[in-house]
Amino acid sequence: AALFMVIAKSLIKTGAMQGLTPAEILTSVNDQLCENNDAGMFVTVYMGLLELATGKLLVANAGHNPPLIRRRGGQYEWLRHRSGFVLAGLPDRKYVDVEMQLMTGDRLFLYTDGVTEMQNPQQKLYGEDRLIETLGASDAERRGVMELLPYVRASVDRFADGAEQADDGTMLALDWYGPEKQ
């Protein structure tokens, strides 16, 4: 599984270096990963290209859970848009680019399902509702993006209370501060 992930990551990076859109990259990588995939492995991917000068964000989704966005001064909301099938699941799949515009002060929060599927000793899941609640509490405490991930990780760890987990949880957060002043 680790080797399969390294191959997928390398193929995605190669596509990005060629200047392709996220959908073009995922379409190409899917076809390559489907070749000789006798083990039936797959990968979920949420890929975005952010134009730092303008805040234009182009994303494509290959079966990954939706990220959250917090518009400046607002509440966290799911970025639910059309999701493609997982990579390496079926050949000849076409993925779709979705364009969004970030505004000054917007925050994105991305995570793997290992975060929301973290279990406590009673085998209850951390869940999406608890995640949004934790993100909102972080904002109420005026935590910056650099403090956000350790804050959420601590919440997940407290919830898990030492229970053994089947998956790891990975998170990424970013704030877009707006275009550079000329």
Side-chain angles (χ1 to χ4, degrees):
L3 180 58
F4 194 75
M5 182 59 84
V6 168
I7 292 168
K9 184 178 171 183
S10 295
L11 292 171
I12 290 168
K13 184 176 181 180
T14 299
M17 299 296 282
Q18 295 173 348
L20 302 174
T21 71
E24 292 168 337
I25 293 166
L26 296 182
T27 298
S28 173
V29 170
N30 180 64
D31 289 340
Q32 293 175 72
L33 291 175
C34 281
E35 294 175 13
N36 303 313
N37 184 14
D38 298 331
M41 302 185 92
F42 67 90
V43 178
T44 68
V45 176
Y46 190 90
M47 181 176 183
L49 297 175
L50 176 59
E51 200 172 277
L52 294 176
T54 65
K56 176 183 158 188
L57 179 62
L58 193 62
V59 299
N61 190 347
H64 201 69
N65 49 306
L68 291 133
I69 187 166
R70 187 210 61 208
R71 298 291 183 179
R72 182 179 180 180
Q75 303 293 318
Y76 283 91
E77 301 174 11
W78 300 105
L79 276 177
R80 297 194 194 273
H81 47 77
R82 187 173 174 207
S83 175
F85 200 62
V86 298
L87 293 185
L90 292 170
D92 302 318
R93 304 299 289 189
K94 299 292 182 218
Y95 296 86
V96 177
D97 287 317
V98 175
E99 185 176 322
M100 297 182 292
Q101 181 63 47
L102 296 183
M103 306 304 288
T104 301
D106 285 354
R107 176 176 285 174
L108 288 174
F109 180 81
L110 297 94
Y111 62 97
T112 61
D113 59 4
V115 173
T116 51
E117 293 175 2
M118 195 72 61
Q119 292 184 357
N120 66 11
Q122 293 76 38
Q123 297 185 332
K124 291 185 180 177
L125 298 178
Y126 187 78
E128 293 178 348
D129 291 342
R130 191 179 321 271
L131 177 60
I132 288 180
E133 181 180 308
T134 300
L135 291 169
S138 175
D139 279 357
E141 295 175 15
R142 300 190 166 282
R143 293 182 184 272
V145 72
M146 297 302 289
E147 299 169 297
L148 177 65
L149 299 181
Y151 183 83
V152 175
R153 170 57 59 201
S155 172
V156 170
D157 289 345
R158 276 191 310 276
F159 176 83
D161 194 26
E164 188 173 332
Q165 302 301 316
D167 201 356
D168 65 347
T170 303
M171 301 175 285
L172 171 80
L174 70 91
D175 286 342
W176 190 67
Y177 294 109
E180 290 183 353
K181 302 214 186 295
Q182 300 292 334

